[in-house]
Amino acid sequence: MKIRNFTVRIFVIVLFLGNHHFLVAQIRGCIDPSASNFNDKATINDGSCLYKSVTLNPIAYFSTSKQSEELIEMSGLEKRDSLWYTHNDNPSDVFFEIGIEGDSIKVNRKIIVKGLDVVDWEEIASDSDYFYLGDFGNNANGARGDLKIVKVRKAFQSGILNDSLLVAEILNFSYEDQIDYTPLSSNKTNFDCEAMIVTDDSIYLFTKQWQSLNTVVYRLAKSGSDQIARKLTAIKIDGLVTGAKLSPDKKKLALIGYSNMLQPFITCIYGFQQTEFQLGCIRKLNLNMPFFQMEGICWENDSIVSVVNEKFANTFIQTNSSLQQYDLGFCWEKLANNQLGIGKFEGMNLKLQISPNPIRHNETLKLIFMGANRCLPINEEIFVTNMKGQKLMTIQVTSDRFELNQLVPGDYAIGNQKVGFIMVSVI
């Protein structure tokens, strides 16, 4: 009986400490010192940042040669080690492993996907186990009823991707808000798509809206047929989005695209929480490569991106396919180094979440900070105590999530006075 009452007292104290912190008022606004409307009193980003126009020159440029002349419609781009993977956007059952030789693109191999049947292949993404091929181009008349993402299982021999891969699953989908499928003239629909990213548990689509020149973000599960793509939010772009990638540290989203006059751009989004991209710092950067039809993008590291373009030709202008690189690190430099912002971050409304709970003793416990600005540093001491109030462990957390797998079966309180305490049962 005494032990039970002590447990109740601990729980009441935990609730008080956890809830007391959230009385701190928050101010929404632009938190980026690089923006023209920076609000030095804001503690929560709200997607309102405005920036002066910037035009970037490539820091590297590699063109196609006779050896790679079949890469005329490069539409997606992935990276593994020193090799890229790309594909054309026509019906095909292959994608290409490419590298760099001198100042030219070199095709190393063709990777065949057995049983692949695509109509308008516009994007490639990946996680540790699969490639995701986006057969969802829909610009012909906006009325496709066979939109899909093809999951291809990765297979390696001695660390080298096999020459032949197999289709693992086909994810058919439709947009939840597309009701009318009446065919339109070409390049008129708002339900075209050429861009997606893959996270731990979801697929996110970024549409290419020919009418509004913005993008709408939809979510799909990573497995399952006949899905409904759920509409999450819209992002103002003022251009046609053709590719998307998250940075290796998951803190920045890069969207590649071009205007209806073929002025290419990269829209870099940072300072967002979780996948609320519309509430980040949304910065559009023009590329000094007019009439380049940019189609695919990937990250080389947390600052530099590579992009590819399709060959474009008309009566007066011709641009060949190429791979280019741009350094975006200057975008978030002031925000990351802003001491005032870091000071305010210490008073932000952080909330600790723990998953799963209860947890088996051989599982990994994830500590997640909700409300963390992912461009600013975290430096939190989290304590683990038993039900007698004895401190068992001190954890130094330096990111918005931390994995812990050192607890034996029992009941614990995890947290601190700032972020609150959570009761955890290890079984």
Side-chain angles (χ1 to χ4, degrees):
M1 189 68 179
K2 289 183 178 180
I3 293 177
R4 182 178 299 172
N5 289 338
F6 184 77
T7 300
V8 171
R9 288 197 298 271
I10 286 288
F11 185 67
V12 171
I13 292 171
V14 165
L15 284 178
F16 174 77
L17 291 175
N19 290 329
H20 177 72
H21 169 70
F22 300 115
L23 298 176
V24 179
Q26 302 300 311
I27 300 174
R28 296 182 179 274
C30 175
I31 66 170
D32 187 0
S34 298
S36 58
N37 62 331
F38 168 55
N39 182 352
D40 64 358
K41 295 180 175 59
T43 57
I44 299 178
N45 212 7
D46 65 354
S48 66
C49 291
L50 302 173
Y51 299 92
K52 294 180 180 179
S53 178
V54 173
T55 299
L56 299 182
N57 293 310
I59 60 172
Y61 179 93
F62 308 98
S63 62
T64 52
S65 61
K66 288 185 178 180
Q67 195 272 341
S68 57
E69 60 186 5
E70 58 192 323
L71 299 176
I72 60 173
E73 293 182 316
M74 288 189 291
S75 194
L77 192 64
E78 268 292 311
K79 181 74 182 289
R80 182 176 185 269
D81 299 328
S82 61
L83 300 172
W84 295 270
Y85 297 99
T86 189
H87 59 91
N88 291 322
D89 72 354
N90 49 24
S92 175
D93 63 352
V94 302
F95 60 95
F96 302 89
E97 179 187 273
I98 63 174
I100 297 300
E101 191 172 82
D103 58 0
S104 299
I105 299 171
K106 173 187 177 183
V107 175
N108 296 328
R109 294 184 298 153
K110 293 182 180 180
I111 311 295
I112 298 173
V113 182
K114 293 183 178 180
L116 183 61
D117 181 18
V118 292
V119 177
D120 193 357
W121 180 2
E122 292 288 356
E123 178 72 293
I124 184 170
S126 72
D127 58 20
S128 57
D129 298 316
Y130 299 96
F131 287 109
Y132 296 76
L133 315 183
D135 181 13
F136 40 46
N138 194 25
N139 67 318
N141 57 25
R144 277 189 67 179
D146 60 347
L147 303 173
K148 62 181 180 288
I149 296 170
V150 181
K151 286 176 66 174
V152 176
R153 186 178 297 278
K154 294 180 178 179
F156 298 90
Q157 287 279 5
S158 302
I160 299 174
L161 191 67
N162 287 358
D163 291 335
S164 179
L165 302 177
L166 298 175
V167 172
E169 187 180 8
I170 296 177
L171 284 61
N172 299 289
F173 72 92
S174 59
Y175 299 104
E176 71 168 341
D177 54 338
Q178 184 175 14
I179 300 172
D180 187 357
Y181 284 81
T182 303
L184 305 172
S185 55
S186 62
N187 299 341
K188 294 296 182 182
T189 182
N190 276 341
F191 292 98
D192 191 13
C193 184
E194 298 190 13
M196 71 175 166
I197 62 172
V198 176
T199 65
D200 291 341
D201 60 0
S202 301
I203 299 171
Y204 294 89
L205 308 179
F206 299 83
T207 58
K208 183 182 185 184
Q209 294 197 304
W210 291 92
Q211 294 288 344
S212 69
L213 297 181
N214 294 322
T215 189
V216 171
V217 186
Y218 294 85
R219 180 189 175 277
L220 293 169
K222 291 176 71 174
S223 184
S225 60
D226 299 322
Q227 294 193 49
I228 302 297
R230 301 300 181 188
K231 182 177 179 179
L232 300 181
T233 189
I235 302 175
K236 186 176 180 180
I237 296 294
D238 191 25
L240 300 166
V241 172
T242 56
K245 284 294 185 298
L246 272 180
S247 60
D249 63 7
K250 313 301 182 188
K251 295 182 179 181
K252 306 108 184 175
L253 172 68
L255 303 176
I256 189 74
Y258 49 82
S259 72
N260 50 17
M261 296 297 292
L262 275 187
Q263 169 58 57
F265 64 85
I266 295 173
T267 294
C268 188
I269 305 176
Y270 52 96
F272 53 84
Q273 299 176 20
Q274 304 303 313
T275 53
E276 294 182 328
F277 307 118
Q278 78 281 6
L279 299 180
C281 304
I282 304 171
R283 189 165 187 174
K284 185 178 180 181
L285 309 165
N286 291 318
L287 306 183
N288 192 20
M289 304 295 288
F291 303 106
F292 274 70
Q293 187 175 330
M294 300 300 187
E295 292 281 343
I297 189 167
C298 71
W299 292 81
E300 298 296 314
N301 52 44
D302 288 323
S303 295
I304 295 174
V305 294
S306 290
V307 302
V308 290
N309 67 285
E310 293 187 6
K311 181 178 180 179
F312 173 79
N314 64 16
T315 305
F316 306 102
I317 300 168
Q318 176 171 317
T319 54
N320 292 324
S321 301
S322 66
L323 184 148
Q324 306 167 30
Q325 294 180 339
Y326 294 87
D327 190 345
L328 310 182
F330 71 94
C331 288
W332 50 85
E333 184 176 13
K334 287 186 178 179
L335 176 58
N337 293 329
N338 177 29
Q339 295 302 313
L340 180 59
I342 293 173
K344 287 187 297 185
F345 177 79
E346 293 300 321
M348 287 181 69
N349 190 5
L350 295 182
K351 181 180 179 181
L352 179 64
Q353 288 191 351
I354 292 180
S355 176
N357 188 12
I359 182 173
R360 298 184 183 277
H361 75 277
N362 58 349
E363 289 185 282
T364 298
L365 188 71
K366 292 184 179 180
L367 313 181
I368 303 169
F369 284 104
M370 302 301 293
N373 184 321
R374 305 189 84 181
C375 279
L376 298 177
I378 291 177
N379 188 10
E380 287 290 333
E381 276 194 345
I382 299 297
F383 307 109
V384 180
T385 65
N386 60 20
M387 300 317 299
K388 295 180 180 180
Q390 297 171 327
K391 187 184 297 183
L392 305 178
M393 192 183 308
T394 299
I395 303 168
Q396 193 71 38
V397 182
T398 57
S399 69
D400 65 341
R401 60 188 60 214
F402 183 88
E403 296 185 356
L404 176 67
N405 56 4
Q406 304 172 27
L407 299 180
V408 299
D411 294 325
Y412 302 90
I414 300 180
N416 64 25
Q417 291 189 11
K418 177 181 173 184
V419 301
F421 286 83
I422 295 179
M423 306 297 292
V424 176
S425 294
V426 180
I427 57 177

